[in-house]
């Protein structure tokens, strides 16, 4: 299942272009994401990704560690973002993904701003 998460990171987050077909490919319409006390449903997640594409010029996700247990994959990763204004933001992310029938149905995520302006603390849930 790690390959699904790697593809999501590559095709959706690291890809500078918004492509709804990738979200439809990897995410269930019943998707729920919890990020630092903020809950996003499938439609809100799409808005979140669109907002990232407006704001972020380049993003690189580095998986430091992961674990799998049945239909759950847990990642400890670093998200390094270069915003369109040139600002660099780096977040440490702990995420637990739930996969059903080949699609991600849930993500419970904690983020910690490691580098950058405090105003970008909630980049992981911004819409």
């Amino acid at each position: 299942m790690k390959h699904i998460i790697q593809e999501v990171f590559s095709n959706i987050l690291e890809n500078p272009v918004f492509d709804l077909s990738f979200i439809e490919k990897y995410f269930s319409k019943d998707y729920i994401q919890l990020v630092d006390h903020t809950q996003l449903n499938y439609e809100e997640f799409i808005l979140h990704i669109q907002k990232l594409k407006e704001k972020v010029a380049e993003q690189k996700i580095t998986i430091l560690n992961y674990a799998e247990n049945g239909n759950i994959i847990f990642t400890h990763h670093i998200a390094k973002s270069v915003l369109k204004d040139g600002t660099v933001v780096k977040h440490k992310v702990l995420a637990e993904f739930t996969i059903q029938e080949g699609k991600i149905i849930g993500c419970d995520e904690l983020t910690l701003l490691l580098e950058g302006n405090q105003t970008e603390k909630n980049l992981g849930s911004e819409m």
Side-chain angles (χ1 to χ4, degrees):
M1 285 191 307
K2 179 184 176 191
H3 72 280
I4 294 172
I5 303 305
Q6 288 175 313
E7 289 175 18
V8 165
F9 289 170
S10 176
N11 293 329
I12 297 174
L13 296 176
E14 294 179 337
N15 182 353
V17 177
F18 175 79
D19 188 338
L20 182 60
S21 68
F22 283 125
I23 294 172
E24 292 170 341
K25 176 180 178 179
Y26 296 110
F27 291 87
S28 165
K29 299 270 192 229
D30 297 322
Y31 178 71
I32 297 292
Q33 179 170 321
L34 298 170
V35 184
D36 303 327
H37 306 293
T38 299
Q39 180 173 310
L40 306 177
N41 64 25
Y42 181 79
E43 291 79 19
E44 292 167 330
F45 177 70
I46 291 170
L47 293 174
H48 165 62
I49 297 300
Q50 288 174 321
K51 180 70 173 184
L52 283 179
K53 299 307 168 194
E54 291 171 12
K55 194 170 188 174
V56 176
E58 182 182 332
Q59 191 165 56
K60 176 68 178 149
I61 309 294
T62 304
I63 296 176
L64 302 175
N65 217 331
Y66 74 98
E68 294 184 35
N69 184 16
N71 67 330
I72 304 287
I73 184 160
F74 171 85
T75 64
H76 170 197
H77 61 272
I78 299 293
K80 182 178 179 185
S81 308
V82 179
L83 305 184
K84 292 194 174 170
D85 68 4
T87 304
V88 175
V89 180
K90 191 185 290 187
H91 289 86
K92 174 181 178 175
V93 183
L94 303 176
E96 180 182 83
F97 298 92
T98 304
I99 299 175
Q100 268 183 0
E101 299 174 6
K103 293 195 176 197
I104 301 170
I105 192 163
C107 178
D108 188 354
E109 178 179 306
L110 295 173
T111 63
L112 175 66
L113 182 66
L114 297 176
E115 180 181 322
N117 193 312
Q118 279 295 320
T119 59
E120 303 305 335
K121 179 182 176 197
N122 296 322
L123 193 62
S125 61
E126 193 172 327
M127 287 187 293

